[in-house]
Amino acid sequence: MRGGIAADQFKATFLGDKVEVYEDTIAACLDVGGSELIEEAFALVESSKSRALADMVARYLREPDPRAQAADGASRARLLKLIEDLNWYSSHANLEDERGGQRRVRAADRYSREVLRCERQITDLFRSVEASASGLDDLQRTAAITVSELRAALESGEIVIEYFIVSAQLSAFVVTRDGIEVARNIASVAAVERELAGLRFQMEKFNFGREYAEQHFDQLNGGATQYLARLYQSLISPIERLLTGKRLIVIPHGAVHYVPFHALLNRRGYLVDQFEISYAPSATVLRLCRRKSQQNGSAFKRGSARRKDMVALGLAGADTPSIAEEIETLEALFPNAVTLTGNQATRANLLKAAPGARFLHLASHGYFTRDNPMFSFLKLADSRLNFYSLLDLKLNAELVTLSACHTGVNKVFPGDELHGLMRGFLHAGAPSLVASLWATSDASTAHLMKEMYGQIRAGASKRAALRAAQIAIKNEYGHPYYWAPFILMGSPN
């Protein structure tokens, strides 16, 4: 039934009233036990987690059907026109808000209503574009990964922790090259959500400004570490004995997508001091991202004369002056870098330069729109870069870094589908994403990016490079607010 649904949004919500059936079947398998039924339970978890996203990533591992592209040409042109209209109305609504006054408020309201109208029309039209661009046979080739396939794909020292929810309780599969273990009912979802709300409150205190943060640093640090220690006790402590390797791949579920595992705290310190940690929406998506990473790496080597190591877009503002320093640092690290700053930081310039990039770096203001997460965006010089703005982009990059606030925040739909800006870059073919879980510090972010790319230039893997950068910033700034917002999603290599 699900395979015949073309529109991503409908695929993503299809499991909404069916998750309970999956949960009951998973519980039944685990109640009986035995290796075969544990593997079947794992397959059921993968079949009910981020499947629409897996279909989307798989589609971009294959060459698109030129007949489908020709058939939807008119619809895509209309979609681009609506995106232009959306950007125009959005910019004018913001201008009227900034000017103030009762008359300006009424004008801003009119523009805001037009923004909502454009968003509805874009969403509806995208569904029809998807319907003409995909087919049942294409979707049915995307199969969920099995335990044996996952084990065979893991490298030495890698451990996958895949969380899943049954009857409002969190459990976890722990998979290594040697086998699979299951830890049931390790924490209640409600308890984890309470601890996350407390952590989020502590991080949001930094919105009061630099002076406040400096005056109350010890209090802020103590509050954050309290919740990070509690989250460790809930999510990691019950499976601690199974973590025998040094490289963790965390596959969250539900609210656990908002947990910064690398910043969780135990008696030996933060997990970043003990492990290299990366994340994935599902094991199936992890496998697809690794394939895409290999594909993009090979493509870069074949066309290295025409490609650039780095394409960096930076849009600095009065409250983000360090973005300019961040881009200058990348220019120094990558001599053939293409940089797009100021008035050059436009969507057209980005779409032109990005396909030839080995590393794509975007530094700007980021905004997460909770009521309509697919319109979460990065601010460009001429527009908002959201999911729909990326439809004409086909990336060959090995890594995309979204150096801005909240770029890794998603709204979690039924079936554990992640809707947000990150989905757009995975849709465009990015195998690995560095994105943020909360608002970021301008100065510490610039320093972290310098450290991370310096490590990459020296030959480190993506996950090792991010870890080294986080440890360096941790040692300088201390509080997790500064060093822990960024996560590596997708292929860790």
PDB file of all heavy atoms in Angstrom, residues 81-109:
ATOM      1  N   LYS A  81       8.509  29.579  -9.784  1.00  0.00           N
ATOM      2  CA  LYS A  81       7.863  30.899  -9.727  1.00  0.00           C
ATOM      3  C   LYS A  81       7.225  31.130  -8.358  1.00  0.00           C
ATOM      4  O   LYS A  81       7.321  32.231  -7.787  1.00  0.00           O
ATOM      5  CB  LYS A  81       6.799  31.000 -10.823  1.00  0.00           C
ATOM      6  CG  LYS A  81       6.024  32.320 -10.829  1.00  0.00           C
ATOM      7  CD  LYS A  81       6.951  33.508 -11.087  1.00  0.00           C
ATOM      8  CE  LYS A  81       6.189  34.802 -11.367  1.00  0.00           C
ATOM      9  NZ  LYS A  81       5.341  35.209 -10.236  1.00  0.00           N
ATOM     10  N   LEU A  82       6.603  30.109  -7.800  1.00  0.00           N
ATOM     11  CA  LEU A  82       6.004  30.239  -6.471  1.00  0.00           C
ATOM     12  C   LEU A  82       7.070  30.465  -5.402  1.00  0.00           C
ATOM     13  O   LEU A  82       6.856  31.227  -4.452  1.00  0.00           O
ATOM     14  CB  LEU A  82       5.195  28.984  -6.139  1.00  0.00           C
ATOM     15  CG  LEU A  82       3.820  28.877  -6.803  1.00  0.00           C
ATOM     16  CD1 LEU A  82       3.240  27.483  -6.592  1.00  0.00           C
ATOM     17  CD2 LEU A  82       2.868  29.942  -6.258  1.00  0.00           C
ATOM     18  N   ILE A  83       8.225  29.818  -5.555  1.00  0.00           N
ATOM     19  CA  ILE A  83       9.307  30.030  -4.605  1.00  0.00           C
ATOM     20  C   ILE A  83       9.806  31.469  -4.674  1.00  0.00           C
ATOM     21  O   ILE A  83      10.085  32.106  -3.643  1.00  0.00           O
ATOM     22  CB  ILE A  83      10.451  29.031  -4.867  1.00  0.00           C
ATOM     23  CG1 ILE A  83       9.996  27.607  -4.509  1.00  0.00           C
ATOM     24  CG2 ILE A  83      11.703  29.396  -4.083  1.00  0.00           C
ATOM     25  CD1 ILE A  83      10.948  26.527  -4.946  1.00  0.00           C
ATOM     26  N   GLU A  84       9.904  32.023  -5.891  1.00  0.00           N
ATOM     27  CA  GLU A  84      10.283  33.428  -6.043  1.00  0.00           C
ATOM     28  C   GLU A  84       9.261  34.341  -5.367  1.00  0.00           C
ATOM     29  O   GLU A  84       9.618  35.304  -4.674  1.00  0.00           O
ATOM     30  CB  GLU A  84      10.393  33.778  -7.531  1.00  0.00           C
ATOM     31  CG  GLU A  84      11.583  33.156  -8.233  1.00  0.00           C
ATOM     32  CD  GLU A  84      11.619  33.524  -9.706  1.00  0.00           C
ATOM     33  OE1 GLU A  84      10.791  34.366 -10.123  1.00  0.00           O
ATOM     34  OE2 GLU A  84      12.453  32.973 -10.439  1.00  0.00           O
ATOM     35  N   ASP A  85       7.976  34.048  -5.570  1.00  0.00           N
ATOM     36  CA  ASP A  85       6.924  34.845  -4.935  1.00  0.00           C
ATOM     37  C   ASP A  85       7.029  34.763  -3.417  1.00  0.00           C
ATOM     38  O   ASP A  85       6.874  35.780  -2.714  1.00  0.00           O
ATOM     39  CB  ASP A  85       5.541  34.364  -5.381  1.00  0.00           C
ATOM     40  CG  ASP A  85       5.260  34.647  -6.849  1.00  0.00           C
ATOM     41  OD1 ASP A  85       6.002  35.445  -7.448  1.00  0.00           O
ATOM     42  OD2 ASP A  85       4.308  34.059  -7.396  1.00  0.00           O
ATOM     43  N   LEU A  86       7.273  33.564  -2.913  1.00  0.00           N
ATOM     44  CA  LEU A  86       7.399  33.379  -1.469  1.00  0.00           C
ATOM     45  C   LEU A  86       8.531  34.238  -0.907  1.00  0.00           C
ATOM     46  O   LEU A  86       8.372  34.905   0.129  1.00  0.00           O
ATOM     47  CB  LEU A  86       7.655  31.905  -1.153  1.00  0.00           C
ATOM     48  CG  LEU A  86       7.973  31.558   0.298  1.00  0.00           C
ATOM     49  CD1 LEU A  86       6.787  31.859   1.200  1.00  0.00           C
ATOM     50  CD2 LEU A  86       8.385  30.089   0.424  1.00  0.00           C
ATOM     51  N   ASN A  87       9.668  34.238  -1.587  1.00  0.00           N
ATOM     52  CA  ASN A  87      10.798  35.044  -1.122  1.00  0.00           C
ATOM     53  C   ASN A  87      10.474  36.530  -1.151  1.00  0.00           C
ATOM     54  O   ASN A  87      10.843  37.281  -0.242  1.00  0.00           O
ATOM     55  CB  ASN A  87      12.030  34.755  -1.983  1.00  0.00           C
ATOM     56  CG  ASN A  87      12.642  33.393  -1.682  1.00  0.00           C
ATOM     57  OD1 ASN A  87      12.690  32.972  -0.534  1.00  0.00           O
ATOM     58  ND2 ASN A  87      13.108  32.709  -2.713  1.00  0.00           N
ATOM     59  N   TRP A  88       9.758  36.955  -2.184  1.00  0.00           N
ATOM     60  CA  TRP A  88       9.410  38.377  -2.296  1.00  0.00           C
ATOM     61  C   TRP A  88       8.486  38.798  -1.163  1.00  0.00           C
ATOM     62  O   TRP A  88       8.726  39.810  -0.487  1.00  0.00           O
ATOM     63  CB  TRP A  88       8.748  38.636  -3.655  1.00  0.00           C
ATOM     64  CG  TRP A  88       8.585  40.094  -3.978  1.00  0.00           C
ATOM     65  CD1 TRP A  88       9.473  40.909  -4.604  1.00  0.00           C
ATOM     66  CD2 TRP A  88       7.444  40.916  -3.672  1.00  0.00           C
ATOM     67  NE1 TRP A  88       8.978  42.193  -4.717  1.00  0.00           N
ATOM     68  CE2 TRP A  88       7.726  42.221  -4.146  1.00  0.00           C
ATOM     69  CE3 TRP A  88       6.232  40.675  -3.053  1.00  0.00           C
ATOM     70  CZ2 TRP A  88       6.828  43.276  -4.017  1.00  0.00           C
ATOM     71  CZ3 TRP A  88       5.330  41.724  -2.916  1.00  0.00           C
ATOM     72  CH2 TRP A  88       5.631  43.016  -3.398  1.00  0.00           C
ATOM     73  N   TYR A  89       7.438  38.035  -0.932  1.00  0.00           N
ATOM     74  CA  TYR A  89       6.495  38.375   0.141  1.00  0.00           C
ATOM     75  C   TYR A  89       7.154  38.286   1.513  1.00  0.00           C
ATOM     76  O   TYR A  89       6.891  39.110   2.396  1.00  0.00           O
ATOM     77  CB  TYR A  89       5.272  37.452   0.090  1.00  0.00           C
ATOM     78  CG  TYR A  89       4.337  37.742  -1.054  1.00  0.00           C
ATOM     79  CD1 TYR A  89       4.028  36.753  -1.987  1.00  0.00           C
ATOM     80  CD2 TYR A  89       3.745  39.001  -1.205  1.00  0.00           C
ATOM     81  CE1 TYR A  89       3.160  37.013  -3.051  1.00  0.00           C
ATOM     82  CE2 TYR A  89       2.886  39.265  -2.266  1.00  0.00           C
ATOM     83  CZ  TYR A  89       2.591  38.267  -3.179  1.00  0.00           C
ATOM     84  OH  TYR A  89       1.739  38.530  -4.224  1.00  0.00           O
ATOM     85  N   SER A  90       8.029  37.297   1.706  1.00  0.00           N
ATOM     86  CA  SER A  90       8.703  37.146   2.995  1.00  0.00           C
ATOM     87  C   SER A  90       9.600  38.340   3.287  1.00  0.00           C
ATOM     88  O   SER A  90       9.595  38.871   4.408  1.00  0.00           O
ATOM     89  CB  SER A  90       9.547  35.866   2.996  1.00  0.00           C
ATOM     90  OG  SER A  90       8.749  34.720   2.821  1.00  0.00           O
ATOM     91  N   SER A  91      10.376  38.774   2.294  1.00  0.00           N
ATOM     92  CA  SER A  91      11.285  39.905   2.513  1.00  0.00           C
ATOM     93  C   SER A  91      10.512  41.188   2.799  1.00  0.00           C
ATOM     94  O   SER A  91      10.903  41.974   3.669  1.00  0.00           O
ATOM     95  CB  SER A  91      12.194  40.091   1.292  1.00  0.00           C
ATOM     96  OG  SER A  91      11.446  40.404   0.137  1.00  0.00           O
ATOM     97  N   HIS A  92       9.389  41.385   2.104  1.00  0.00           N
ATOM     98  CA  HIS A  92       8.598  42.588   2.342  1.00  0.00           C
ATOM     99  C   HIS A  92       7.888  42.548   3.701  1.00  0.00           C
ATOM    100  O   HIS A  92       7.758  43.581   4.368  1.00  0.00           O
ATOM    101  CB  HIS A  92       7.580  42.782   1.221  1.00  0.00           C
ATOM    102  CG  HIS A  92       8.176  43.401  -0.004  1.00  0.00           C
ATOM    103  ND1 HIS A  92       9.051  42.735  -0.830  1.00  0.00           N
ATOM    104  CD2 HIS A  92       8.058  44.651  -0.532  1.00  0.00           C
ATOM    105  CE1 HIS A  92       9.431  43.528  -1.816  1.00  0.00           C
ATOM    106  NE2 HIS A  92       8.845  44.696  -1.659  1.00  0.00           N
ATOM    107  N   ALA A  93       7.448  41.374   4.130  1.00  0.00           N
ATOM    108  CA  ALA A  93       6.854  41.252   5.457  1.00  0.00           C
ATOM    109  C   ALA A  93       7.870  41.614   6.534  1.00  0.00           C
ATOM    110  O   ALA A  93       7.551  42.332   7.497  1.00  0.00           O
ATOM    111  CB  ALA A  93       6.333  39.833   5.670  1.00  0.00           C
ATOM    112  N   ASN A  94       9.112  41.160   6.362  1.00  0.00           N
ATOM    113  CA  ASN A  94      10.165  41.475   7.331  1.00  0.00           C
ATOM    114  C   ASN A  94      10.486  42.965   7.339  1.00  0.00           C
ATOM    115  O   ASN A  94      10.690  43.564   8.400  1.00  0.00           O
ATOM    116  CB  ASN A  94      11.428  40.677   7.020  1.00  0.00           C
ATOM    117  CG  ASN A  94      11.246  39.196   7.288  1.00  0.00           C
ATOM    118  OD1 ASN A  94      10.390  38.795   8.067  1.00  0.00           O
ATOM    119  ND2 ASN A  94      12.067  38.370   6.646  1.00  0.00           N
ATOM    120  N   LEU A  95      10.539  43.587   6.163  1.00  0.00           N
ATOM    121  CA  LEU A  95      10.823  45.016   6.079  1.00  0.00           C
ATOM    122  C   LEU A  95       9.756  45.839   6.785  1.00  0.00           C
ATOM    123  O   LEU A  95      10.068  46.785   7.527  1.00  0.00           O
ATOM    124  CB  LEU A  95      10.925  45.451   4.611  1.00  0.00           C
ATOM    125  CG  LEU A  95      12.208  45.071   3.870  1.00  0.00           C
ATOM    126  CD1 LEU A  95      12.082  45.422   2.390  1.00  0.00           C
ATOM    127  CD2 LEU A  95      13.411  45.785   4.482  1.00  0.00           C
ATOM    128  N   GLU A  96       8.499  45.483   6.583  1.00  0.00           N
ATOM    129  CA  GLU A  96       7.419  46.230   7.227  1.00  0.00           C
ATOM    130  C   GLU A  96       7.460  46.053   8.735  1.00  0.00           C
ATOM    131  O   GLU A  96       7.195  46.996   9.491  1.00  0.00           O
ATOM    132  CB  GLU A  96       6.061  45.774   6.674  1.00  0.00           C
ATOM    133  CG  GLU A  96       5.858  46.045   5.185  1.00  0.00           C
ATOM    134  CD  GLU A  96       5.860  47.534   4.842  1.00  0.00           C
ATOM    135  OE1 GLU A  96       5.713  48.370   5.759  1.00  0.00           O
ATOM    136  OE2 GLU A  96       6.026  47.865   3.658  1.00  0.00           O
ATOM    137  N   ASP A  97       7.797  44.841   9.189  1.00  0.00           N
ATOM    138  CA  ASP A  97       7.918  44.613  10.636  1.00  0.00           C
ATOM    139  C   ASP A  97       9.016  45.474  11.237  1.00  0.00           C
ATOM    140  O   ASP A  97       8.866  46.049  12.321  1.00  0.00           O
ATOM    141  CB  ASP A  97       8.223  43.132  10.911  1.00  0.00           C
ATOM    142  CG  ASP A  97       6.957  42.291  10.963  1.00  0.00           C
ATOM    143  OD1 ASP A  97       5.878  42.855  11.230  1.00  0.00           O
ATOM    144  OD2 ASP A  97       7.049  41.078  10.722  1.00  0.00           O
ATOM    145  N   GLU A  98      10.142  45.591  10.529  1.00  0.00           N
ATOM    146  CA  GLU A  98      11.272  46.363  11.038  1.00  0.00           C
ATOM    147  C   GLU A  98      10.972  47.850  11.092  1.00  0.00           C
ATOM    148  O   GLU A  98      11.444  48.560  11.976  1.00  0.00           O
ATOM    149  CB  GLU A  98      12.502  46.102  10.161  1.00  0.00           C
ATOM    150  CG  GLU A  98      13.053  44.684  10.297  1.00  0.00           C
ATOM    151  CD  GLU A  98      14.115  44.374   9.253  1.00  0.00           C
ATOM    152  OE1 GLU A  98      14.436  45.281   8.450  1.00  0.00           O
ATOM    153  OE2 GLU A  98      14.625  43.235   9.247  1.00  0.00           O
ATOM    154  N   ARG A  99      10.162  48.338  10.154  1.00  0.00           N
ATOM    155  CA  ARG A  99       9.841  49.767  10.125  1.00  0.00           C
ATOM    156  C   ARG A  99       8.883  50.160  11.234  1.00  0.00           C
ATOM    157  O   ARG A  99       8.902  51.297  11.708  1.00  0.00           O
ATOM    158  CB  ARG A  99       9.238  50.118   8.761  1.00  0.00           C
ATOM    159  CG  ARG A  99      10.254  50.093   7.632  1.00  0.00           C
ATOM    160  CD  ARG A  99       9.584  50.171   6.278  1.00  0.00           C
ATOM    161  NE  ARG A  99      10.564  50.165   5.188  1.00  0.00           N
ATOM    162  CZ  ARG A  99      10.267  49.982   3.916  1.00  0.00           C
ATOM    163  NH1 ARG A  99       8.995  49.768   3.557  1.00  0.00           N
ATOM    164  NH2 ARG A  99      11.205  49.996   2.991  1.00  0.00           N
ATOM    165  N   GLY A 100       8.039  49.247  11.677  1.00  0.00           N
ATOM    166  CA  GLY A 100       7.151  49.499  12.804  1.00  0.00           C
ATOM    167  C   GLY A 100       5.989  50.421  12.462  1.00  0.00           C
ATOM    168  O   GLY A 100       5.816  50.848  11.322  1.00  0.00           O
ATOM    169  N   GLY A 101       5.169  50.719  13.481  1.00  0.00           N
ATOM    170  CA  GLY A 101       4.001  51.574  13.273  1.00  0.00           C
ATOM    171  C   GLY A 101       2.779  50.745  12.906  1.00  0.00           C
ATOM    172  O   GLY A 101       2.887  49.669  12.327  1.00  0.00           O
ATOM    173  N   GLN A 102       1.581  51.276  13.255  1.00  0.00           N
ATOM    174  CA  GLN A 102       0.357  50.533  13.018  1.00  0.00           C
ATOM    175  C   GLN A 102       0.124  50.244  11.547  1.00  0.00           C
ATOM    176  O   GLN A 102      -0.302  49.156  11.164  1.00  0.00           O
ATOM    177  CB  GLN A 102      -0.840  51.327  13.586  1.00  0.00           C
ATOM    178  CG  GLN A 102      -2.143  50.541  13.618  1.00  0.00           C
ATOM    179  CD  GLN A 102      -2.061  49.321  14.510  1.00  0.00           C
ATOM    180  OE1 GLN A 102      -1.389  49.349  15.542  1.00  0.00           O
ATOM    181  NE2 GLN A 102      -2.711  48.241  14.105  1.00  0.00           N
ATOM    182  N   ARG A 103       0.405  51.253  10.706  1.00  0.00           N
ATOM    183  CA  ARG A 103       0.213  51.062   9.266  1.00  0.00           C
ATOM    184  C   ARG A 103       1.129  49.966   8.737  1.00  0.00           C
ATOM    185  O   ARG A 103       0.739  49.151   7.916  1.00  0.00           O
ATOM    186  CB  ARG A 103       0.479  52.390   8.556  1.00  0.00           C
ATOM    187  CG  ARG A 103       0.302  52.327   7.055  1.00  0.00           C
ATOM    188  CD  ARG A 103       0.602  53.678   6.449  1.00  0.00           C
ATOM    189  NE  ARG A 103       0.587  53.635   5.003  1.00  0.00           N
ATOM    190  CZ  ARG A 103       0.944  54.658   4.224  1.00  0.00           C
ATOM    191  NH1 ARG A 103       1.329  55.808   4.772  1.00  0.00           N
ATOM    192  NH2 ARG A 103       0.914  54.541   2.910  1.00  0.00           N
ATOM    193  N   ARG A 104       2.365  49.960   9.229  1.00  0.00           N
ATOM    194  CA  ARG A 104       3.327  48.959   8.776  1.00  0.00           C
ATOM    195  C   ARG A 104       2.921  47.560   9.249  1.00  0.00           C
ATOM    196  O   ARG A 104       3.136  46.571   8.548  1.00  0.00           O
ATOM    197  CB  ARG A 104       4.726  49.293   9.312  1.00  0.00           C
ATOM    198  CG  ARG A 104       5.270  50.623   8.825  1.00  0.00           C
ATOM    199  CD  ARG A 104       5.446  50.633   7.323  1.00  0.00           C
ATOM    200  NE  ARG A 104       6.132  51.840   6.873  1.00  0.00           N
ATOM    201  CZ  ARG A 104       6.352  52.169   5.608  1.00  0.00           C
ATOM    202  NH1 ARG A 104       5.904  51.370   4.647  1.00  0.00           N
ATOM    203  NH2 ARG A 104       6.984  53.273   5.284  1.00  0.00           N
ATOM    204  N   VAL A 105       2.347  47.475  10.440  1.00  0.00           N
ATOM    205  CA  VAL A 105       1.915  46.179  10.961  1.00  0.00           C
ATOM    206  C   VAL A 105       0.830  45.586  10.079  1.00  0.00           C
ATOM    207  O   VAL A 105       0.837  44.393   9.768  1.00  0.00           O
ATOM    208  CB  VAL A 105       1.414  46.328  12.412  1.00  0.00           C
ATOM    209  CG1 VAL A 105       0.705  45.051  12.872  1.00  0.00           C
ATOM    210  CG2 VAL A 105       2.578  46.644  13.341  1.00  0.00           C
ATOM    211  N   ARG A 106      -0.134  46.419   9.641  1.00  0.00           N
ATOM    212  CA  ARG A 106      -1.197  45.919   8.766  1.00  0.00           C
ATOM    213  C   ARG A 106      -0.631  45.447   7.428  1.00  0.00           C
ATOM    214  O   ARG A 106      -1.058  44.429   6.885  1.00  0.00           O
ATOM    215  CB  ARG A 106      -2.247  47.014   8.543  1.00  0.00           C
ATOM    216  CG  ARG A 106      -3.119  47.295   9.768  1.00  0.00           C
ATOM    217  CD  ARG A 106      -4.357  48.085   9.380  1.00  0.00           C
ATOM    218  NE  ARG A 106      -4.000  49.410   8.893  1.00  0.00           N
ATOM    219  CZ  ARG A 106      -3.915  50.492   9.673  1.00  0.00           C
ATOM    220  NH1 ARG A 106      -4.154  50.387  10.987  1.00  0.00           N
ATOM    221  NH2 ARG A 106      -3.593  51.668   9.174  1.00  0.00           N
ATOM    222  N   ALA A 107       0.345  46.201   6.906  1.00  0.00           N
ATOM    223  CA  ALA A 107       0.975  45.795   5.642  1.00  0.00           C
ATOM    224  C   ALA A 107       1.730  44.476   5.820  1.00  0.00           C
ATOM    225  O   ALA A 107       1.671  43.585   4.968  1.00  0.00           O
ATOM    226  CB  ALA A 107       1.921  46.890   5.158  1.00  0.00           C
ATOM    227  N   ALA A 108       2.436  44.346   6.949  1.00  0.00           N
ATOM    228  CA  ALA A 108       3.164  43.105   7.221  1.00  0.00           C
ATOM    229  C   ALA A 108       2.206  41.924   7.310  1.00  0.00           C
ATOM    230  O   ALA A 108       2.513  40.824   6.836  1.00  0.00           O
ATOM    231  CB  ALA A 108       3.966  43.242   8.515  1.00  0.00           C
ATOM    232  N   ASP A 109       1.026  42.148   7.911  1.00  0.00           N
ATOM    233  CA  ASP A 109       0.031  41.076   8.005  1.00  0.00           C
ATOM    234  C   ASP A 109      -0.438  40.635   6.622  1.00  0.00           C
ATOM    235  O   ASP A 109      -0.632  39.437   6.371  1.00  0.00           O
ATOM    236  CB  ASP A 109      -1.165  41.540   8.838  1.00  0.00           C
ATOM    237  CG  ASP A 109      -0.847  41.595  10.327  1.00  0.00           C
ATOM    238  OD1 ASP A 109       0.139  40.962  10.734  1.00  0.00           O
ATOM    239  OD2 ASP A 109      -1.598  42.260  11.065  1.00  0.00           O
TER     240      ASP A 109
END
